[in-house]
Amino acid sequence: MRLARGSRLVVATHNPGKLAEMTALLAPYGIETLSAGALGLPEPEETAEDFEGNARLKACAAARGAGLPALADDSGFCVAALGGAPGVVSARWAGPGRDFSVAMARVEREMGNAADRRAWFISVLCLALPDGRATCFTGRVDGAVSFPPRGTHGFGYDPIFVPEGDRRTFGEMRPEEKEAISHRSRAFRAFAAACLSLP
Ligand code: ITT
């Protein structure tokens, strides 16, 4: 499944932080991007049990709804001391108001003073075509949880995640620094190698 230069592609997310990162990653490839929000596409319910299932569900719903290829991301923040939680329900920990200070406070409360501070982010990107074909790519970045939250860049759990090899949180990094190592950009590089062509 390759997308020709000049193709139109729906970026199938309603999360503004993800939309900004995915649009920036696609910028060099000569693809015309449209967001699910701008097209008025509904937010499908995420009923699958894993990242890949939810990524497929979102990409296929958007591709069918728009009649165009669609790229969706399902991702999450996983904490070793919490058995990988919040994982696939990372967005839900922020409650209906999507307040991530609530979600980060819950991580802190549930971890208590557990000695194991390891954490990681996962991103599964799925490209779907209107005919129902779909293909997925996974990326991961490992690091540690750190409290209190630091930094104003990024979104979601970025202020409490310190990637391996750095002392700063993702929230303290400039967008291009996060992009160099993030789970989403790693999944994107696999997607780009398989599905996109550079000029
Ligand atoms: P869409 O389904 O519309 O894409 P969403 O926010 O509901 O938006 P997910 O179901 O994939 O997306 O939830 C993943 C959550 O994990 C997301 O809301 C963030 O809180 C968190 N997350 C994922 N990637 C992240 C990143 O790069 N930095 C910080 N938090 C991230």
Side-chain angles (χ1 to χ4, degrees), residues 12-15 18 21 43 46 51 58 73-77 87-92 94 98 100 121-122 154-159 170 178 182-184:
T13 178
H14 290 81
N15 177 321
K18 282 191 195 177
E21 291 187 6
E43 223 176 315
E46 297 184 22
F51 296 114
K58 290 187 271 190
D73 164 287
D74 199 64
S75 45
F77 182 55
V88 282
V89 295
S90 291
R92 270 177 236 164
R98 297 271 160 101
F100 282 90
F121 277 112
I122 301 272
F155 64 97
Y157 297 85
D158 281 343
F170 266 175
K178 177 182 171 189
S182 81
H183 49 311
R184 188 162 296 102

Side-chain angles (χ1 to χ4, degrees), residues 106-163:
R106 178 165 171 193
V107 172
E108 184 171 23
R109 197 169 59 245
E110 294 203 8
M111 282 184 82
N113 42 26
D116 186 351
R117 311 307 287 180
R118 285 173 304 148
W120 58 96
F121 277 112
I122 301 272
S123 160
V124 175
L125 289 173
C126 180
L127 173 70
L129 302 184
D131 66 11
R133 279 184 293 156
T135 178
C136 294
F137 304 88
T138 302
R140 169 174 173 147
V141 58
D142 286 279
V145 180
S146 170
F147 292 105
R150 302 194 312 265
T152 54
H153 292 292
F155 64 97
Y157 297 85
D158 281 343
I160 58 168
F161 179 73
V162 177

Side-chain angles (χ1 to χ4, degrees), residues 30-46:
I31 300 283
E32 187 188 332
T33 57
L34 305 110
S35 76
L39 291 171
L41 295 174
E43 223 176 315
E45 220 189 308
E46 297 184 22

